[in-house]
Amino acid sequence: MDYSILESSFKGLTSQEADFRLQKNGKNVLPSPKPHSKIKLFLSQFNSPLMYVLLIAVVISFFSKHFSDTIFIIVVLFINTTVGFYQENKANNSLAALKKMVKIKAKVLRDGNEKEIDSENLVEGDVVILKMGDKVPADGRVIESKNLKINEASLTGESKAVKKDEGAKVPENSPLAEQINMAFMGTIIEEGEGKIMVTGTGLNTEIGKIVGLLRETKERKTPLQKKILTLSKQTAVFIIAIIITIILIGYFTEKSFNDILVASLALAVSAIPEGLLPAITVILTLGMRRIFKQKGLVRKLIATETLGSVTVICTDKTGTLTEGKMQVSHVFTSTKELLSSNFKNIFKNNNSNGIESHILALKIASLVNEAFVENPDQELEKWIVRGRPTDQALLMAGMQAGIYKEELETQYPVLDRINFESGAKYAVTYHKFGNKKNILYALGAPEIIIEHSAFLDIDGKKKKLSPIELKKLFLKVNTLTEKGLRVLACCYKVYPCSTKYENLLELREKMVLVGFVAIKDPLRVDAAESIEITKKAGIRTILITGDHKLTAKAIALEIGLHAEKENILEGKEIDLLSDDDLKEKVKLISIYARVSPSHKLRIVRALQNNGEVVAMVGDGVNDAPALKIADIGISLGSGTDVAKEVADLVLLDNNFRTIIKAIEQGRVVFGNIRKVFTYLVADDFSELFLFLGCMVMGFPLPLLPAQILWINLVEDGFPDIALTTEQETKGIMDEPPRSPKEPILNKPLKKWMVCIFLISGLAAFFAFLFFWKSSGQIEKARSMTFALMCLDSLVFAFSVRSFKRTIFRKDIFSNRYLVFGVALGLILLLGAVYFPPLQKLLATQPLSGFEWLIILGISLVEIILIEIVKKRIFSYNKIK
C-alpha cells in the first residue's frame, strides 16, 4: 500500500496530526436516529381505546347538554394525555442516555506507541490493531494479516468469515465480499489478528453510505409488558361488563338514561388503569438507571425484569470475585524457586548465575503476550497498561526484572503467532533467532505444555524430561494451585529458517520445558459476603473457570462454596457425559475447572433444562454463544466487543457484587409493578361496588361524572407516578427468586384486592347512605362521598408501598415523591371542595370541620381493616 496517499506511515500518525484531522473532518460516528418527536409522542397518547371512550363520553355529554361535564372531561383528557406523555418522554430520554454509555474502543498506533482510544476519535491515516473478538471501528486497508478472518455478515449477509490478505490486488469497484484487502466498519474479527490503515470514517464508510436505509430496531415489548397488557384488557372487559350491568339496572329502574350513560362512561374511564403501561415502562427504565448507578449497564429493557428471577449465577473468578490485579508471585524451574520480590535485586546486580532458566521463562512470558504499555515514555507510576489481566501481570514481571518486550521483539522479530484462546488454553509465537534459525515459544496450562515437551531446560542446558522430574514438577504445580495461584508453563524449540509448515501448531512437538510462572490475584474484600447474600436470596453461585481444579477449589473454599470431590467437575469429564447425564450432574456441581466455551454452553443448557433461570458471566468472543442462550448474559466491562454485543448486562467495574445489586433491582422492579397495578385497580373497584349497590337499591347516583373523573385525576395523576420510584430493598434478598411463570396477580394479591374491594366499597356505600339520610341533601351526600373516595385513594397509596410492612411505621413518609404527589392530591381535593369555580364545575359543597372528622374516621377504620387483612394474608403467603 502507498501510505503517502493518506499522508501516513506503518507506524501511524502523530497525536498532533490526528487531532488536526479530527477537527477538520469530524468524529467517526454515524448519524444518530432522529430523536422521538415530542409532538408525535404527545398525539400518540390519544391512540388508545381508553381515549376513544373519553372522546365518546365528550360527544354524548355534549349532545345531552351536560356542558360542564363536557368541559371537564376534555380537561381530564388533556391532563391524562400530558401525564402519559411526561412518563413516556422521560423513559425515552433515559433509554437514549443509557445507549450512549456503550463505547467501542480501538487500539491504534500514535506517536509510534500502541494506545487505546474511543473509536469515534479515529481519523483517516490511523493504524488500527485488530484482534479476535474486536469490532472493526472504521473502514481500512489491511496492511498486516496474521490469519485475519472477518465476519462481514452485518454488511454483506454472508455468514462465512472472509480471510484477509494484505498483498492482494483487488480490481477497482469489486463487490464488498471480494475486497479481501479491506476491512469494513461494524464487522467482527472472528479469527487471527492484523492491522489496517483507516481509509474512511463515519459517513465515508461503506455502512455510512447506506445509513439512510438503516432504521434502529424498535424496542419490542417485554414479556412482562405483554402480560400487563393482557391483564389490563381482562380487567377492562370485567369493568365494562359491570358498567353495562349498571346501565341496564339504571334503565329498568327508570333513571335518566343520559345521566346513567355519562356517569357510566366516566366510571369506566376512572376504573380502567390507563396509566399502567406507561408506568411499567418508567419502572423498567428507572430500574436500568439504578443498576447503572451501581456500575452495571443494562443493554436490553427485558433484562431489567428477568434479573429478579435469576436462580443460578455462573461466573469465572478473575475480576469478578477477585480484584483482577494479577501479579507474578513465583517463577520456578527444575533447579530452584524465585520469588517476585527478588527479581529487581538479582537483575540490578547482574547476577544471573543459576537462574538462566528463570530469565528465559520471563522472556517467554513477555514475548508470548498481547499486553502493551500505552505511554512508555512517561514515569512508571503513570504507565497505562492494556491487555488481559494475566498478560499485564506477566509483562510487568518482565519489566520489573529488566526485560522489555519491545527490545526483545526488535532482537527476535515476530514471524507468526497464535494468541491465547480459552478453548486451547495456550498461546504460541514464532520468532527470528539469528541469521539461520527461528524459535518457537509457547505459554499456557501446565498439562498442555508438558504434553508437548520432551526435554527440560536446566539453566541453559537441555536434558531429557524423565518421569521422576515430571512427577516432581507436577507436585510443585499442585502445591501452588492448592493455594489458589494460577500456574502457567513455558517452553521453546529452535528450528532451521528453512522449516516449512501449514499451521504453527505443527511445530509444537518435542519442545523444551523451561519452567513455571505462578500468578496471584487477591480475592475482593466483599467476595465471601457477596456469596453469602446469594445463598440467602436462594441463588446458587457456580464457579466456571479455565484454571486448574485445585486453584478453583482453593478460591471456592475461601468464598464459601461447596468444594467437596462430588462438587467439582473438569472439562474432560464433561466430554464423557451425555446431555441427560449432565442434566443430573449439574444439580450437585458448584465448581467447573479447565472448561472451554463449548462446555459453558452445555452447562447453561443443562441448568435451564432443570428449570433454572441462568445468569452467565463471560468476556471472550467464544463466550458469546453461552451468553446469548443464558436467560441473562453478563459481560465484563473489560470483555471483547462481541461479548458486550450479545450481553444483557455489562459490568462496568467487573465486580460480582454488581450482579447482586442488579438482581436486587430486578426484584424491586417487579415489586413496584405489582404495587402500581394494585393501587390503580383495587381502589377503583370500590367505585364500581358503590355504583352497583346504589343502582340495585334504587338510590340516586352517588357521584356525578365530573366528580368521578376528578377522583381519577387525584388518584392517577400523581401518586401512581410516585409509586414507580419505590425502593423497598429491605429483606428483598432474603426471599427466594420469583418463578418467571408466576403471574403478576398471584393468589395473595387477589385475596387482598378482593378484601380492599369489599372494605372500601361497603364503606363508601354505607357512608353515602348515612350522609344522604342524615342531611337530606343529595348534593351534600355526594360531596362527602367524593371527599371520602379521594382521601381513601391518597391514604391507600401509603399502604401499598409495601406488602410486607405496615403503614404504621416511622419511615412511612420516606418516599418524598409520594409525599409530594399525595400533597398535590390533597390540594386538588380541597380545591374541589372550597374553590368556587371548581365547586360549580363539580357540583360540590363546602364541608365543615365535623364532617371532615367523620370522613377521616371512616377512612382510618378502612385503612386499619385493610392493614389487618394485609398482615394476615402476606405473613402466611410471602410475595415471591
Side-chain angles (χ1 to χ4, degrees), residues 94-114:
S94 295
L95 285 171
L98 286 171
K99 284 179 181 177
K100 289 179 182 177
M101 300 297 174
V102 183
K103 296 278 188 183
I104 300 294
K105 297 288 185 180
K107 294 184 184 72
V108 299
L109 290 178
R110 293 265 176 96
D111 304 315
N113 296 318
E114 279 190 51

Side-chain angles (χ1 to χ4, degrees), residues 456-511:
L456 185 65
D457 183 273
I458 304 176
D459 294 328
K461 296 176 183 178
K462 191 167 75 171
K463 175 186 174 184
K464 190 168 179 63
L465 191 58
S466 67
I468 296 173
E469 288 288 348
L470 266 178
K471 186 177 179 181
K472 183 175 156 186
L473 290 171
F474 269 122
L475 189 63
K476 185 62 179 175
V477 168
N478 288 344
T479 301
L480 290 172
T481 52
E482 283 175 349
K483 295 178 181 178
L485 298 174
R486 170 177 288 183
V487 180
L488 299 173
C490 52
C491 61
Y492 72 90
K493 187 174 183 180
V494 178
Y495 287 92
C497 286
S498 58
T499 304
K500 304 290 183 184
Y501 64 91
E502 288 290 327
N503 189 309
L504 196 56
L505 297 182
E506 296 170 16
L507 307 182
R508 193 192 49 162
E509 295 300 332
K510 296 184 178 179
M511 302 186 74

